[in-house]
Amino acid sequence: ALNSRPAKGLRLNARYRYDERDNDSPVNDYDYIVADSFNPAGTVQNRPLDYQRNRFDLTANYRINTAMRLRGGYRYDELSRDYTNAEREDTEEHTLFAKWKVKPHTKMDLSLRAEAGTRDGSNYQPPVGDNPALRKYHLADRDRTRVGASINVMPTDRLDITASADDIRDDYDNSVLGLTEATQPTWTLDIAWQPNDAVSTNAWYTREDIESSQAGNEAGMPVPDWTADFEDTVDSAGIGTRVTGIASKWDVGADLVYTRTSGQVDRVNLAGGGVTPYPDLETSLTSVKLWTQYHYRKDLSWSLGYRYERYSADNWALDNLQADSVTNLLLLDEETPDYDVHLISASVIYHF
């Protein structure tokens, strides 16, 4: 990493990172398990994944005045794959980004951010048995844009409110089959309140609406004969509190987090004919955390905690399947996770 201040208010940063992975796992042959109308012959081999990765990041920060700042830069990410029959030996991603931050009032901060990136690489070589027009999304050419904004307001010295919104859009214009586009708008509201020096509370909510489109061909032809649109929504909320200095020795706290997701799939048969709709996918996660800490002396504390977690899901791909539900395949009677967990913890903290 290199840092420089070539002019007043201007700071430049350059970072480079090299990562190399060498996988010596043995290679074996495996028979195909066919569960659709596309029936490739022969066997396949596992591929130990070796790669070299180069990352370069150049960032400039400029302070226009006491209330306004600009930040921008360029990122480069190159990945070279050395394993046998790699679909794409090399990929390169170039990204430009910028952020503008302003403080119009002593109790308010505003920021706008944006970035644009593109990924391409060497020729794509589909493995034997794959549809020649299929492009895996993490290797395919992609154009990505991201825009966002946030505002932070402090109506009083003890109340802090932050709202933010981001939108990500991915286009896979060179993918005939596979993932063709995706969007992910997200917004968050976060409130922190400290009624006095010993008590602090916070509450937050986040909403994500993820949409994507995919194309495929059941017979292995290099043109789509079906498309699918996916709509996933994620709602997350949390609340927490912390009280310190009870009887000059005790701290206590509590946190509650709840997340619910819903997924819908709309499939269209381009060749004509009806399509049986897929049921919605549903998941929920509830987490509760309670803790207390006793300060025995300045360098020694005792802590006791309790955590509870409940997870439930409805997944038509797993629910009510029998061991022989799929032709030519013996299933392991897997079910959608549905559990309750209770955890009690105790610890001793010593400060040297």
Side-chain angles (χ1 to χ4, degrees), residues 66-117:
T66 57
M68 190 180 302
R69 296 185 179 184
L70 284 176
R71 181 176 182 270
Y74 165 76
R75 287 194 298 265
Y76 173 76
D77 191 346
E78 178 193 40
L79 188 62
S80 298
R81 303 164 184 84
D82 292 338
Y83 50 89
T84 304
N85 297 325
E87 292 94 334
R88 206 167 200 179
E89 293 184 355
D90 301 295
T91 54
E92 294 183 348
E93 188 165 358
H94 306 266
T95 304
L96 295 173
F97 58 91
K99 182 179 181 179
W100 175 66
K101 187 175 182 179
V102 62
K103 193 176 186 68
H105 190 273
T106 57
K107 295 183 178 295
M108 179 184 295
D109 290 310
L110 296 173
S111 67
L112 300 175
R113 50 192 175 272
E115 69 175 51

Side-chain angles (χ1 to χ4, degrees), residues 32-344:
Y32 257 107
I33 300 298
V34 179
D36 56 32
S37 58
F38 182 41
N39 187 354
T43 61
V44 295
Q45 293 181 331
N46 63 300
R47 295 180 295 171
L49 304 182
D50 299 338
Y51 67 82
Q52 295 86 39
R53 191 169 198 169
N54 293 279
R55 297 180 182 178
F56 177 73
D57 189 318
L58 179 62
T59 305
N61 293 273
Y62 182 61
R63 183 178 180 181
I64 301 175
N65 53 46
T66 57
M68 190 180 302
R69 296 185 179 184
L70 284 176
R71 181 176 182 270
Y74 165 76
R75 287 194 298 265
Y76 173 76
D77 191 346
E78 178 193 40
L79 188 62
S80 298
R81 303 164 184 84
D82 292 338
Y83 50 89
T84 304
N85 297 325
E87 292 94 334
R88 206 167 200 179
E89 293 184 355
D90 301 295
T91 54
E92 294 183 348
E93 188 165 358
H94 306 266
T95 304
L96 295 173
F97 58 91
K99 182 179 181 179
W100 175 66
K101 187 175 182 179
V102 62
K103 193 176 186 68
H105 190 273
T106 57
K107 295 183 178 295
M108 179 184 295
D109 290 310
L110 296 173
S111 67
L112 300 175
R113 50 192 175 272
E115 69 175 51
T118 181
R119 181 178 66 200
D120 56 20
S122 57
N123 291 333
Y124 194 98
Q125 303 293 331
V128 176
D130 277 11
N131 191 305
L134 176 64
R135 297 294 181 266
K136 297 180 179 179
Y137 75 94
H138 65 291
L139 300 172
D141 292 347
R142 183 194 67 193
D143 293 326
R144 166 172 287 183
T145 59
R146 182 199 298 258
V147 294
S150 62
I151 179 173
N152 175 259
V153 181
M154 292 186 64
T156 70
D157 292 340
R158 296 188 179 275
L159 180 61
D160 188 290
I161 303 173
T162 301
S164 64
D166 289 276
D167 184 75
I168 303 174
R169 297 184 179 272
D170 293 335
D171 291 315
Y172 301 83
D173 292 336
N174 295 329
S175 294
V176 178
L177 301 181
L179 186 63
T180 57
E181 63 178 351
T183 62
Q184 186 177 348
T186 303
W187 65 271
T188 299
L189 178 64
D190 193 332
I191 301 174
W193 179 48
Q194 188 177 15
N196 55 56
D197 293 341
V199 180
S200 60
T201 62
N202 70 87
W204 57 269
Y205 171 76
T206 296
R207 168 81 176 204
E208 295 179 78
D209 293 290
I210 307 169
E211 297 183 0
S212 60
S213 297
Q214 182 177 332
N217 189 290
E218 293 186 0
M221 302 299 291
V223 292
D225 64 1
W226 62 264
T227 61
D229 294 325
F230 301 83
E231 295 184 6
D232 300 310
T233 59
V234 183
D235 293 284
S236 301
I239 187 171
T241 186
R242 176 188 178 102
V243 181
T244 62
I246 301 175
S248 301
K249 290 288 187 179
W250 290 93
D251 298 341
V252 297
D255 293 283
L256 171 64
V257 176
Y258 177 75
T259 299
R260 181 176 181 178
T261 67
S262 176
Q264 298 179 344
V265 182
D266 183 13
R267 189 166 176 264
V268 178
N269 187 349
L270 300 180
V275 175
T276 302
Y278 293 128
D280 292 349
L281 304 174
E282 304 284 348
T283 65
S284 66
L285 176 66
T286 303
S287 176
V288 177
K289 180 181 179 182
L290 305 174
W291 61 271
T292 182
Q293 187 172 349
Y294 177 71
H295 301 277
Y296 179 70
R297 62 186 190 217
K298 186 176 181 179
D299 59 350
L300 182 62
S301 301
W302 301 329
S303 181
L304 183 66
Y306 167 75
R307 296 195 66 172
Y308 168 75
E309 185 172 287
R310 174 172 175 77
Y311 178 85
S312 64
D314 293 324
N315 185 348
W316 57 266
L318 294 177
D319 293 339
N320 302 318
L321 283 181
Q322 305 301 317
D324 58 351
S325 293
V326 180
T327 305
N328 297 332
L329 182 62
L330 181 63
L331 300 177
L332 300 178
D333 200 25
E334 181 182 2
E335 295 183 354
T336 303
D338 191 350
Y339 62 80
D340 294 87
V341 177
H342 301 267
L343 173 67
I344 297 176

